[in-house]
Amino acid sequence: MDEVYQAIALSSSGFVEAPAGCGKTEAIVKAVGSYCEHRQLILTHTHAGVDALRQRFKAHQIPTSKYQIDTIAGWAWGWVKRYPDNSNYTGSTDIAEWNNVYSAMSNLLQKNFVQQVVLNTYAGIIVDEYQDCTIPMHQLITQLKMILPCRILGDPLQAIFGFRDDTLIEWSDVEGEFTNNLGALDTPHRWIKAGNEPLGRWLLGTRPAFFKNREPDFNGAPISRMRLGYNELSRQLIGLTHSKQGRICIIGPKSHTLPTGAVTALVNQKYKVLESNELSVLKDFIQNFVEGTENTKKNAISNFLKKSYSGLSGEKNFIEKLINGTTQNPRHTNRKSLCETRQSGITPALILDLLSYIEDAGISCKLKESVSALKCVLEEHITTTQSLSNLYADEIGKRKHQSRNSSFRCIGSTLLIKGLEFDHAVIIRGSNWGTNKDLYVALTRGSKSVTLIDAA
């Protein structure tokens, strides 16, 4: 593998095709630590990816003077937010309008003062998970490639993101732009390390079928398969939870949630529901609450509570009347207090008190990150009167490097678990599953076992 590491470090341009679990992160660390003499800018797509790279660099004791790691979005936004006029960026500087950020950063890279800072700061660029680049991201990276050596790593079979409906770059276009094939990574390190090399070898052997957009041959595969009705799902998942030792992830489809009953049952078994980095449910709430009419605010609160909690039924009637301002004469002190607060309108104080009321009632929370972040935003707003939009952006910035990979039990979509590794992966595949690429991503998440459940 040293030849590949050297090629990454020393080439002015090139690509590495890197299957899941075959040492891509290690390749970047070894290339920078052993063969790069000066500082490299390492870009990826997710904060989970940033965290994984930082942890690996730290474990190898690579001095921080040799690298800077960031997401493509974060690095570009840092520049654009600082120089909105120079970049011709016309969107909000509180909450990024991503469709405009990448083209704005491409504009900045044509400015001499920006080129000089980039040249003086870095000796080269390495971009991870390149298959997830949209066309505007790709155009930004090609601008960087004109300034500094640029090497990219990725796996076309894991191209499932599709940021905000933007089209992903075709891998053939990637190869055409970066031209120089720097070598392949084809040893299943993840599964060898877990003592499960046969699963890793089988997954590598499935790649030709996946490239032809076909399911692999599961006959004799080292994974467990079963077919269940949705009414059996909760019981089976709880059984799997208690039968498997180690970290486990229940993986649902990319664009749809798992059945509410199954999610509630898992949350009651101490599972954490993974959320997007921007906490999209919270983001929608903040935008509708800040910009909306009175009715929009009411709907925003109702939708946020519905998505964030399971088992509101016992409190549903009271909460709906409270939100709508219907006169109530409750006996309980905490309900009376909420009704009194409601007399001042739909205010941040009312929402904060309502969240505390729901928590005290022992109602199961599905979206713990969103609820926790909203509490922080509301408390800060009440104390400082800063805008909710600014406080939301600040809170997301504080949380963005919290590691998802530390969750012992979690539930996630294929989008949210990509790049993460677990001892056990349980895949719930229904009629709305997605693509074969989503299946490949899900199959490669478990190092010790993979269970594929076809739910009918």
Side-chain angles (χ1 to χ4, degrees), residues 196-368:
N196 195 10
E197 186 171 350
L199 176 56
R201 294 294 178 190
W202 179 79
L203 287 166
L204 283 174
T206 66
R207 290 177 66 81
F210 278 112
F211 272 120
K212 294 176 182 176
N213 198 28
R214 296 202 310 255
E215 277 200 8
D217 181 2
F218 287 110
N219 290 325
I223 68 170
S224 299
R225 292 194 70 192
M226 61 184 76
R227 185 178 293 275
L228 294 174
Y230 277 112
N231 60 331
E232 305 171 88
L233 199 54
S234 298
R235 177 178 55 81
Q236 185 66 48
L237 291 176
I238 291 172
L240 285 170
T241 296
H242 293 300
S243 67
K244 295 186 179 296
Q245 301 296 314
R247 297 176 61 248
I248 185 170
C249 184
I250 311 299
I251 304 171
K254 176 168 59 180
S255 303
H256 304 272
T257 58
L258 293 174
T260 302
V263 173
T264 300
L266 292 169
V267 168
N268 290 336
Q269 295 292 320
K270 309 302 181 185
Y271 275 79
K272 177 183 178 181
V273 178
L274 298 180
E275 302 180 58
S276 65
N277 288 319
E278 63 179 10
L279 302 178
S280 55
V281 172
L282 174 59
K283 180 181 179 181
D284 290 344
F285 168 77
I286 293 290
Q287 289 181 329
N288 287 321
F289 190 84
V290 169
E291 301 169 6
T293 62
E294 190 75 2
N295 281 334
T296 302
K297 291 180 179 182
K298 293 175 184 178
N299 290 333
I301 297 171
S302 296
N303 289 334
F304 181 83
L305 296 179
K306 181 180 178 181
K307 292 176 180 178
S308 298
Y309 292 95
S310 295
L312 277 170
S313 54
E315 301 286 345
K316 184 177 180 181
N317 189 47
F318 168 73
I319 291 173
E320 283 184 354
K321 287 183 177 180
L322 179 76
I323 292 170
N324 289 320
T326 305
T327 300
Q328 301 184 81
N329 295 300
R331 295 181 180 180
H332 297 297
T333 303
N334 50 358
R335 285 190 172 188
K336 281 185 178 180
S337 176
L338 275 172
C339 290
E340 290 170 2
T341 305
R342 178 63 178 86
Q343 293 174 10
S344 299
I346 302 287
T347 63
L350 174 70
I351 301 167
L352 187 59
D353 288 348
L354 180 55
L355 293 176
S356 296
Y357 171 81
I358 291 171
E359 184 177 313
D360 291 342
I363 293 169
S364 181
C365 183
K366 293 185 290 186
L367 303 184
K368 292 183 179 179

Side-chain angles (χ1 to χ4, degrees), residues 16-142:
V16 174
E17 187 175 308
C22 288
K24 176 168 54 62
T25 302
E26 189 77 2
I28 295 171
V29 172
K30 288 287 183 66
V32 173
S34 300
Y35 300 107
C36 290
E37 293 185 6
H38 304 291
R39 196 179 205 203
Q40 304 293 309
L41 173 62
I42 303 168
L43 298 174
T44 187
H45 291 274
T46 67
H47 297 300
V50 169
D51 180 67
L53 284 161
R54 283 180 175 160
Q55 293 300 323
R56 195 70 64 87
F57 271 98
K58 185 177 180 180
H60 282 270
Q61 299 182 323
I62 310 300
T64 55
S65 59
K66 297 194 73 172
Y67 63 90
Q68 177 185 333
I69 307 170
D70 206 342
T71 61
I72 299 172
W75 186 77
W77 180 233
W79 275 98
V80 171
K81 189 175 182 179
R82 195 178 302 128
Y83 301 107
D85 294 335
N86 296 80
S87 65
N88 295 324
Y89 174 73
T90 57
S92 167
T93 54
D94 293 330
I95 299 177
E97 296 180 12
W98 295 112
N99 286 335
N100 299 323
V101 167
Y102 303 113
S103 58
M105 187 62 214
S106 294
N107 292 336
L108 275 180
L109 287 171
Q110 297 177 47
K111 305 289 185 181
N112 184 63
F113 78 96
V114 177
Q115 292 179 11
Q116 289 304 312
V117 172
V118 171
L119 280 168
N120 291 335
T121 307
Y122 313 110
I125 315 289
I126 298 174
V127 187
D128 193 14
E129 303 286 7
Y130 204 87
Q131 76 279 345
D132 292 326
C133 279
T134 61
I135 291 174
M137 289 178 185
H138 175 66
Q139 291 169 341
L140 167 58
I141 300 301
T142 55

Side-chain angles (χ1 to χ4, degrees), residues 382-395:
I382 291 168
T383 302
T384 67
T385 70
Q386 291 184 60
S387 78
L388 292 173
S389 296
N390 284 343
L391 291 171
Y392 158 80
D394 290 344
E395 189 65 25

Side-chain angles (χ1 to χ4, degrees), residues 119-178:
L119 280 168
N120 291 335
T121 307
Y122 313 110
I125 315 289
I126 298 174
V127 187
D128 193 14
E129 303 286 7
Y130 204 87
Q131 76 279 345
D132 292 326
C133 279
T134 61
I135 291 174
M137 289 178 185
H138 175 66
Q139 291 169 341
L140 167 58
I141 300 301
T142 55
Q143 282 288 116
L144 277 171
K145 179 171 168 280
M146 296 172 65
I147 302 171
L148 287 171
C150 190
R151 300 81 82 204
I152 64 103
L153 299 91
D155 179 7
L157 285 184
Q158 296 186 70
I160 66 168
F161 262 111
F163 291 87
R164 298 165 186 84
D165 299 322
D166 285 340
T167 304
L168 295 180
I169 190 71
E170 293 288 341
W171 192 254
S172 57
D173 293 333
V174 174
E175 293 176 329
E177 177 67 39
F178 291 92

